[in-house]
């Protein structure tokens, strides 16, 4: 457990002592990156450096304003629906994004004033069907004419 700062001792002195003692115990030996230059050394100061680094490490992009984010989500949903495994799944994807679009009509979103139109479910399903042609099923055999029992034995 870390020890508490004693009253009357300045923080700088207390912190310096903590660092010195940890160094003497070897707690800073063999740290990853020891002896290597600091990343970004020599570049101009950027207050957002740590956010940019985290977003790059997590493979994220900068957040879009609300209207543009909704438009991007609509485009991604349309592509996901066309690539869906089943027609029902494609319909669910489009209905879900259409619900979000309808919801956006009643509240202001940040960003440029864009009105995202609803996605035509039937148009997307048509694209899905074109991309996933149905396997041809063999035509069912026509039903055989049923004869009564008496016709089969020759009485009719």
């Amino acid at each position: 457990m870390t020890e508490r700062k004693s009253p009357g001792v300045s923080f700088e002195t207390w912190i310096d002592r903590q660092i010195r003692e940890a160094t003497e115990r070897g707690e800073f030996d063999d740290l990853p990156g020891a002896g290597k230059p600091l990343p970004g050394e020599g570049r101009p100061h950027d207050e957002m450096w740590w956010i940019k680094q985290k977003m790059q490490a997590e493979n994220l992009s900068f957040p879009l304003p609300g209207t543009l984010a909704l438009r991007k989500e609509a485009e991604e949903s349309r592509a996901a629906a066309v690539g869906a495994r089943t027609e029902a799944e494609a319909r669910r994807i489009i209905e879900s994004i259409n619900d979000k679009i309808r919801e956006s009509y009643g509240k202001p979103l940040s960003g440029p004033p864009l009105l995202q139109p609803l996605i035509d479910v039937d148009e997307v399903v048509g694209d899905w069907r074109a991309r996933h042609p149905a396997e041809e099923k063999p035509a069912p055999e026509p039903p055989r004419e049923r004869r009564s029992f008496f016709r089969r034995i020759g009485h009719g």
Side-chain angles (χ1 to χ4, degrees):
M1 182 169 181
T2 59
E3 76 179 73
R4 294 191 177 271
K5 177 183 92 57
S6 303
V9 176
S10 72
F11 272 104
E12 184 175 358
T13 306
W14 180 69
I15 291 171
D16 287 338
R17 192 183 88 220
Q18 294 287 318
I19 292 171
R20 182 181 45 76
E21 289 174 358
T23 303
E24 289 171 359
R25 289 190 302 267
E27 292 183 21
F28 298 121
D29 295 346
D30 301 323
L31 290 176
K36 295 180 183 173
L38 295 173
E41 184 68 23
R43 292 188 196 149
H45 178 66
D46 181 6
E47 292 178 2
M48 304 283 281
W49 69 269
W50 63 276
I51 294 174
K52 291 176 181 175
Q53 183 180 13
K54 179 68 173 169
M55 291 182 78
Q56 183 179 11
E58 298 290 330
N59 197 21
L60 301 172
S61 60
F62 278 98
L64 292 172
T67 54
L68 297 178
L70 183 61
R71 176 161 289 178
K72 181 179 180 194
E73 187 176 355
E75 290 171 4
E76 290 170 350
S77 294
R78 190 180 201 302
V82 171
R85 291 180 302 202
T86 65
E87 182 178 328
E89 182 181 350
R91 285 183 182 278
R92 274 194 304 276
I93 291 169
I94 297 303
E95 288 165 2
S96 175
I97 190 62
N98 278 344
D99 288 343
K100 286 184 180 183
I101 293 169
R102 281 186 203 95
E103 198 176 297
S104 76
Y105 292 164
K107 64 181 179 182
L109 296 176
S110 63
L114 298 172
L115 182 65
Q116 177 63 43
L118 293 173
I119 299 173
D120 184 350
V121 177
D122 294 328
E123 178 184 327
V124 174
V125 168
D127 291 347
W128 182 89
R129 286 180 181 153
R131 193 166 179 201
H132 300 87
E135 294 178 15
E136 291 187 30
K137 297 177 184 175
E141 293 182 25
R144 284 196 257 163
E145 182 183 325
R146 296 198 65 173
R147 295 186 301 172
S148 72
F149 174 74
F150 294 111
R151 283 194 159 187
R152 279 186 276 164
I153 60 171
H155 294 296

